[in-house]
Amino acid sequence: MVNYKKLLVISLILTILVFSGGFLLGLSLDSTRISDLVENLNQNELSRESYLVESEFIKNVGGNICDLSKPRVFTLSNELGTLGQLLTRYESKGIFRDTEYNYLKRKYFLLEIRTYSLFVNLKKECGYDFNTILYFYDQNEQSSINQGYILDSLVGAQDDLHVFSFDRNFDEPSLNTLKIYYNVTSSPTLIINDKLKKEGLSSLDELKAILK
């Protein structure tokens, strides 16, 4: 005779075990993703510090800083782009706790500001002709989301373009200074090549025309 009560208990236990295993596996994967992102952030920071040490050495002992700079800063920019995509992807999955999220996002924005400062300085000192865009967005605003897609397409079409994206509502002193300097009061806002400010949604064709 089949003991239905016993089968029910066994089924319940198996269901709990499967659910618990999946939950623990998810936590483990989330922890790994966060660790990888932190490691990538740290590596980018080390790359930037390495470049600054090399630059200081060349300035002190002699040499052409411009020969060194272009490939190194382009590498830094590409690394930041990858980090930004990872941060956005993990953020959309909601795997961060508030403290982790604020720390990682703050660190990422600081790296962006430092790298952007290097780009602006090298354009002045070395006469590089690459383009830069500061992109200030609001996370839940549709026009900001659309602007992000347009900028992704623009970066894919232009090798000499470097975009630095910032959450306009994120509270970080250095980011607040940047917003004050460029008088950023709405989203989306683009600062193109440190001079031209575009408020509101800018189309792909419009941006291509500006960057010609």
Side-chain angles (χ1 to χ4, degrees), residues 4-126:
Y4 290 104
K5 185 175 181 181
K6 185 176 181 180
L7 284 176
L8 182 61
V9 171
I10 292 173
S11 298
L12 180 61
I13 291 173
L14 288 174
T15 301
I16 292 172
L17 287 174
V18 170
F19 176 79
S20 299
F23 178 73
L24 291 174
L25 178 60
L27 286 178
S28 176
L29 290 174
D30 289 348
S31 178
T32 300
R33 292 184 185 119
I34 293 171
S35 296
D36 288 344
L37 185 55
V38 171
E39 178 64 22
N40 285 330
L41 281 167
N42 290 336
Q43 286 298 323
N44 182 268
E45 191 168 26
L46 282 175
S47 296
R48 189 188 66 85
E49 292 300 323
S50 174
Y51 164 73
L52 291 176
V53 169
E54 289 182 48
S55 300
E56 189 66 25
F57 177 79
I58 289 175
K59 287 179 181 178
N60 289 333
V61 303
N64 190 339
I65 188 66
C66 295
D67 291 339
L68 162 72
S69 300
K70 195 168 187 177
R72 291 297 299 273
V73 295
F74 274 38
T75 298
L76 288 173
S77 177
N78 290 334
E79 288 177 357
L80 278 175
T82 301
L83 283 170
Q85 292 172 358
L86 286 174
L87 186 62
T88 300
R89 189 183 310 154
Y90 295 163
E91 178 184 38
S92 66
K93 293 180 179 179
I95 70 172
F96 297 127
R97 293 187 292 270
D98 287 343
T99 52
E100 291 171 336
Y101 173 74
N102 288 330
Y103 169 77
L104 291 172
K105 199 163 185 177
R106 184 179 185 187
K107 190 167 186 177
Y108 174 68
F109 286 158
L110 289 175
L111 286 172
E112 279 202 301
I113 293 170
R114 289 168 181 156
T115 304
Y116 176 71
S117 296
L118 286 175
F119 270 63
V120 171
N121 187 56
L122 288 172
K123 287 184 74 172
K124 294 176 181 177
E125 290 191 1
C126 302

Side-chain angles (χ1 to χ4, degrees), residues 156-184:
Q158 296 198 217
D159 294 333
D160 64 342
L161 174 62
H162 304 272
V163 177
F164 302 87
S165 303
F166 301 98
D167 182 346
R168 188 175 65 90
N169 295 312
F170 190 76
D171 187 18
E172 155 56 41
S174 297
L175 179 54
N176 292 336
T177 298
L178 203 65
K179 289 187 293 184
I180 292 171
Y181 179 80
Y182 290 111
N183 191 28
V184 175

